[in-house]
Amino acid sequence: MQHRTQIDTRIAAEFLTGCFRSDETIAIVLRRVSPPTIAQRIITVERALQPRYRAWLAHENASGANVYVAANPLAPGSRKRTKESIAEVRHLYLDLDTDGEAKLAALRSSHSAPIPSAIVSTSPGKYQVPWRVESIPFEEQERLLKLLAITFGGDPACTDCNRVLRLPGFRNQKYAPAHLVTIDFLTPSVSHSEDFKLAHPTPDRELIRGRIAHLKPTGKHSHSESDWAWILGKLARGKDPVKLTRTLAERRSDKPNPEYYAERTVDVASAWLWLKDGLPIADVVTMIEFRRRFQIPHKLCSARAHEIAFTAQRMIARKKIA
């Protein structure tokens, strides 16, 4: 790692040159902590590399603004940094906000992901890890970002294609004294989807079958209890949760909202299985969010996933599985 204590816009220029073409459009974001303000500039890389522009960024950074750049280029003529304005997927990335050193060591020793393009030290013990990629569709990027976060302990919320990353060479002004954001360039190689050998964690089916054997419905169970046992058993045997949701909704047309009932039953049962299999609760939240991401608005989807994961956790703690 480079350990300069002064702002060095040459590092920022090297990073931008390695990530984008000079004629591409990018978003530069300035965020101040106090008072909390955000300013965004949509510009070409060529302009961002000009000494006068870099000097302006250095001035803003020295006066308290944190400097970020969007991870992916924008379509020419864009005025906003929305998902719809992103031109293509250029990077996959990990946010390592806790136990950064240990997680970096695990990443380096793993064969599940290619060598990252760089390692960015954003503050003591915290890192951003980008991979330069190409020919990856937006939906595939989101899937891979979720799996990278689950596999290596990154922030599972960092999966938007319009996300910004800290720009190396500038100071992280969230700390006193400010921390210089440094970078260790690892490889100029470009990665592809098939280079990431990642898979969703799956429960141990034999163990799960043993755990739910006592949950088979009997004549004394209510309809909801029977539904729970049936869904749990099907999920444990690898059945498609989407199809199970549809089938349960059809079976329980007596419910005021059969679709909601079926979705919740399937999701709580999935969370129960994942927690029983030892998956961390943060990863369970991510899995539920990922499943329902196209059906529910983002904020509501996140809140719902947390509530479902903690509901399943409480059910396990009470040892009162319906």
Side-chain angles (χ1 to χ4, degrees):
M1 293 283 184
Q2 303 173 33
H3 293 288
R4 297 183 178 89
T5 57
Q6 300 299 317
I7 295 171
D8 190 343
T9 64
R10 294 173 299 174
I11 297 175
E14 185 178 1
F15 179 79
L16 292 175
T17 302
C19 295
F20 306 100
R21 299 190 306 271
S22 62
D23 62 338
E24 287 188 308
T25 301
I26 58 173
I28 300 290
V29 177
L30 303 177
R31 290 178 179 168
R32 294 181 181 273
V33 177
S34 181
T37 57
I38 299 178
Q40 181 169 264
R41 300 290 184 270
I42 307 297
I43 59 174
T44 63
V45 174
E46 183 179 23
R47 184 183 177 192
L49 293 175
Q50 293 175 355
R52 184 174 179 179
Y53 197 87
R54 288 189 282 137
W56 175 73
L57 288 177
H59 170 75
E60 291 294 305
N61 183 226
S63 65
N66 291 287
V67 184
Y68 303 82
V69 62
N72 295 310
L74 279 64
S78 296
R79 295 187 177 184
K80 297 181 179 180
R81 179 177 47 86
T82 62
K83 290 184 178 181
E84 293 74 20
S85 67
I86 299 300
E88 64 178 84
V89 174
R90 184 63 53 79
H91 294 97
L92 298 181
Y93 34 83
L94 266 175
D95 256 3
L96 302 179
D97 287 339
T98 58
D99 300 321
E101 299 297 341
K103 291 174 181 177
L104 279 181
L107 176 61
R108 290 189 178 103
S109 63
S110 173
H111 298 293
S112 299
I115 297 173
S117 300
I119 295 175
V120 179
S121 173
T122 59
S123 58
K126 298 185 179 182
Y127 301 93
Q128 288 178 335
V129 184
W131 285 264
R132 174 77 181 271
V133 298
E134 65 179 12
S135 302
I136 293 182
F138 291 111
E139 61 273 12
E140 178 69 0
Q141 181 208 31
E142 183 171 313
R143 185 185 75 87
L144 289 172
L145 287 176
K146 290 282 188 182
L147 294 179
L148 280 168
I150 290 171
T151 302
F152 299 109
D155 185 347
C158 300
T159 61
D160 293 334
C161 63
N162 59 338
R163 178 171 172 73
V164 296
L165 306 174
R166 284 192 179 272
L167 191 53
F170 295 100
R171 294 172 182 158
N172 182 341
Q173 297 286 7
K174 289 176 64 176
Y175 298 87
H179 177 85
L180 186 67
V181 179
T182 59
I183 186 168
D184 186 6
F185 293 101
L186 300 183
T187 177
S189 299
V190 177
S191 299
H192 300 83
S193 180
E194 59 269 21
D195 298 322
F196 294 85
K197 313 298 183 182
L198 305 165
H200 279 299
T202 56
D204 184 316
R205 301 304 179 192
E206 293 304 318
L207 287 177
I208 292 297
R209 287 190 185 103
R211 289 171 183 157
I212 66 173
H214 67 286
L215 296 174
K216 292 180 180 179
T218 68
K220 296 181 180 180
H221 285 71
S222 69
H223 286 312
S224 295
E225 290 172 327
S226 297
D227 292 340
W228 169 264
W230 179 74
I231 288 294
L232 202 60
K234 292 292 185 180
L235 289 172
R237 289 164 177 80
K239 298 300 182 181
D240 183 356
V242 175
K243 292 181 179 178
L244 286 175
T245 300
R246 189 182 306 120
T247 301
L248 182 58
E250 292 172 353
R251 288 174 50 164
R252 295 309 308 272
S253 58
D254 59 306
K255 288 287 185 179
N257 190 335
E259 290 76 17
Y260 172 80
Y261 171 78
E263 286 178 2
R264 183 171 180 81
T265 302
V266 169
D267 288 349
V268 174
S270 297
W272 187 87
L273 289 171
W274 288 326
L275 290 168
K276 277 288 191 178
D277 198 50
L279 199 66
I281 194 165
D283 294 348
V284 172
V285 171
T286 295
M287 302 287 272
I288 297 298
E289 284 182 323
F290 185 77
R291 176 183 292 173
R292 303 298 178 189
R293 68 195 185 284
F294 296 127
Q295 301 169 250
I296 304 173
H298 175 70
K299 289 185 178 180
L300 179 59
C301 186
S302 177
R304 177 186 178 280
H306 280 83
E307 186 274 326
I308 282 177
F310 284 107
T311 294
Q313 187 182 57
R314 289 193 299 270
M315 291 169 72
I316 293 171
R318 292 196 303 266
K319 296 182 180 180
K320 291 183 179 179
I321 308 303

